[in-house]
C-alpha cells in the first residue's frame, strides 16, 4: 500500500508559526469510492459531487459547535440536487439527482450559468438547538469561488478554498486569515495572507491527487514554517435508520399514506419498502405499522 493510500480519508489542520493564518486539508479516496459505488454518475458530475464532499468536511471543521453540516445545490432544469453531509463524528455522505437527458454525460457545471432559480445553501444542524441555513450567492463559476464569496460576506476575515477532484478522489484545502498578532502591522499581515492565497491557487488537480497532505503543504508553502496537527480520520457513513425512514413516511400525512398503501395493495404487496438513496439500506414496514 502506498503512502498516499495510507493517508487518504483524513483531515489535518495546520498553522503558520510566523504568519496570521491557519488552514485545513482533507484527502478523500475511499469515501469518494463509496459515494460513487452506489450510483453511476457521469465523470464530470462525479467530480463535482466529490468536490462537495471535501467542501462539506472543510465547512464542518470551521464551525465551533457539535453538529452536522450540509451543503446542497438545487438547479431546476439542470441538476435536481447535489448534496453532501458531514456529521459530528466525521462521517461523510453525498448524492446527486439529475436527468440524463437534461444533463448528458459530457456536461460541465458552471455555477453562474445554472439559471436564476438555482440555490446553493449551507445548513448547520446542531446536536442541540435550532437548525440554521445560509444561502450562498451564486455569482461565480466554481464551488470554491462561491464559498469564498459567502465567507467574504459573512466573516470579517477572508477564507480561501482549493477544491480539486476527479471521479475517484478529492482534495480540499481551506485557508483562514487570523487577526494580526504574529505580524503586528495589519497591512503587512494582510499582504502575507494574500501571498499564501496566491500559492494555494497554484495547486492543480494532477499534483494534488497524486500526493499526500504533508507533501502538498510542503510543496505549496516550503518557504513558510507550516506546522501540521494530528490527522483525524474521515469515512463514508449514513445516518439513516428505520425510525427516521418511518418518520419520513408518516410525515406525508394521513391521506397520502392511505393512497400509498392502497397503491401497494393493488399491486399485491403486503409491506412498504423504503430505500435510502445515500447508502441503499432497505427498510420494510407493515402497513399497520405505518398507520400506528
Amino acid at each position: 500500500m502506498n503512502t498516499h493510500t495510507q493517508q487518504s480519508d483524513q483531515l489535518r489542520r495546520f498553522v503558520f508559526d510566523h504568519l496570521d493564518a491557519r488552514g485545513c486539508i482533507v484527502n478523500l479516496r475511499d469515501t469518494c469510492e463509496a459515494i460513487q459505488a452506489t450510483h453511476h454518475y457521469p465523470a464530470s458530475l462525479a467530480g463535482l459531487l466529490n468536490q462537495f464532499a471535501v467542501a462539506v468536511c472543510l465547512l464542518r471543521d470551521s464551525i465551533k459547535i457539535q453538529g452536522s453540516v450540509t451543503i446542497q445545490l438545487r438547479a431546476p432544469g439542470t441538476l435536481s440536487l447535489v448534496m453532501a453531509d458531514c456529521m459530528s463524528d466525521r462521517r461523510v455522505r453525498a448524492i446527486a439527482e439529475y436527468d440524463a437527458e437534461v444533463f448528458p454525460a459530457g456536461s460541465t457545471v458552471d455555477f453562474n450559468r445554472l439559471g436564476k432559480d438555482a440555490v446553493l445553501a449551507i445548513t448547520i444542524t446542531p446536536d442541540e438547538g435550532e437548525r440554521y441555513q445560509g444561502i450562498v450567492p451564486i455569482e461565480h463559476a466554481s464551488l470554491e469561488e462561491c464559498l469564498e464569496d459567502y465567507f467574504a460576506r459573512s466573516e470579517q476575515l477572508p477564507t480561501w478554498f482549493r477544491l480539486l477532484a476527479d471521479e475517484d478522489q478529492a482534495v480540499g484545502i481551506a485557508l483562514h486569515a487570523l487577526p494580526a498578532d504574529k505580524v503586528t502591522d495589519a497591512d503587512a499581515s494582510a499582504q502575507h495572507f494574500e501571498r499564501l492565497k496566491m500559492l494555494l491557487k497554484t495547486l492543480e488537480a494532477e499534483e494534488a491527487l497524486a500526493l499526500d497532505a504533508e507533501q502538498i503543504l510542503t510543496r505549496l508553502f516550503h518557504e513558510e514554517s507550516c506546522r501540521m496537527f494530528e490527522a483525524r480520520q474521515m469515512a463514508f457513513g449514513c445516518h439513516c435508520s428505520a425510525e427516521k425512514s418511518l418518520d419520513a413516511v408518516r410525515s406525508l400525512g394521513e391521506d397520502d399514506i392511505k393512497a400509498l398503501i392502497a397503491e401497494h395493495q393493488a399491486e399485491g404487496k403486503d409491506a412498504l419498502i423504503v430505500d435510502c438513496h445515500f447508502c441503499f439500506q432497505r427498510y420494510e414496514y407493515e402497513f399497520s405499522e405505518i398507520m400506528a
Side-chain angles (χ1 to χ4, degrees):
M1 182 180 293
N2 62 40
T3 303
H4 182 68
T5 301
Q6 289 174 338
Q7 296 192 3
S8 69
D9 293 86
Q10 289 186 348
L11 177 151
R12 298 191 72 173
R13 295 174 179 173
F14 59 92
V15 296
F16 296 90
D17 289 334
H18 307 300
L19 299 176
D20 298 308
R22 66 178 179 87
C24 180
I25 181 168
V26 176
N27 305 69
L28 297 179
R29 180 188 294 265
D30 293 344
T31 296
C32 291
E33 289 180 359
I35 290 169
Q36 304 302 328
T38 58
H39 300 80
H40 299 287
Y41 299 114
S44 60
L45 183 54
L48 177 64
L49 191 57
N50 290 341
Q51 280 190 32
F52 268 68
V54 289
V56 80
C57 296
L58 295 170
L59 293 172
R60 172 64 192 84
D61 184 71
S62 70
I63 67 172
K64 297 180 175 63
I65 62 172
Q66 286 297 307
S68 65
V69 174
T70 302
I71 180 169
Q72 61 180 313
L73 170 69
R74 293 184 182 274
T78 307
L79 290 170
S80 301
L81 176 68
V82 181
M83 183 174 78
D85 290 327
C86 185
M87 289 151 263
S88 295
D89 59 4
R90 296 185 295 280
R91 286 181 297 149
V92 186
R93 65 179 190 173
I95 193 172
E97 297 177 358
Y98 69 103
D99 185 333
E101 294 183 0
V102 176
F103 189 84
S107 299
T108 58
V109 179
D110 288 335
F111 280 59
N112 53 356
R113 295 183 179 180
L114 290 174
K116 61 182 179 62
D117 294 327
V119 176
L120 182 62
I122 297 171
T123 305
I124 300 172
T125 307
D127 293 342
E128 297 182 6
E130 295 185 2
R131 176 182 297 183
Y132 165 80
Q133 185 174 81
I135 302 300
V136 181
I138 304 178
E139 298 179 0
H140 302 275
S142 68
L143 176 60
E144 68 181 47
E145 291 173 301
C146 290
L147 291 177
E148 288 166 352
D149 186 28
Y150 175 77
F151 272 77
R153 296 173 190 237
S154 60
E155 302 283 341
Q156 294 183 346
L157 295 169
T159 293
W160 301 104
F161 292 91
R162 197 74 175 122
L163 307 174
L164 301 166
D166 59 19
E167 60 267 37
D168 300 315
Q169 58 182 314
V171 171
I173 302 176
L175 195 61
H176 305 277
L178 297 173
D181 178 32
K182 297 169 184 175
V183 179
T184 54
D185 181 275
D187 289 338
S189 181
Q191 290 175 6
H192 286 307
F193 187 71
E194 183 67 18
R195 186 180 78 254
L196 294 177
K197 169 210 167 181
M198 293 176 64
L199 292 171
L200 174 66
K201 294 299 184 179
T202 65
L203 183 65
E204 298 295 338
E206 183 178 0
E207 181 180 31
L209 300 178
L211 302 175
D212 64 38
E214 188 169 356
Q215 290 171 328
I216 290 171
L217 295 184
T218 299
R219 291 200 181 189
L220 285 177
F221 309 120
H222 61 275
E223 294 184 355
E224 316 295 342
S225 180
C226 179
R227 179 160 45 94
M228 299 183 71
F229 294 100
E230 184 178 353
R232 300 183 178 189
Q233 197 68 32
M234 312 298 293
F236 174 80
C238 192
H239 53 71
C240 69
S241 68
E243 182 180 1
K244 289 180 180 179
S245 295
L246 182 57
D247 287 343
V249 174
R250 287 173 173 168
S251 70
L252 296 174
E254 185 176 351
D255 290 342
D256 286 341
I257 291 173
K258 287 181 177 178
L260 185 63
I261 290 175
E263 180 182 332
H264 279 63
Q265 288 175 329
E267 295 173 354
K269 299 175 182 177
D270 57 7
L272 176 67
I273 304 295
V274 177
D275 292 323
C276 175
H277 289 185
F278 287 94
C279 66
F280 283 4
Q281 176 66 46
R282 172 161 289 188
Y283 300 100
E284 183 173 324
Y285 305 100
E286 301 271 337
F287 296 141
S288 58
E289 183 180 7
I290 298 171
M291 297 300 297

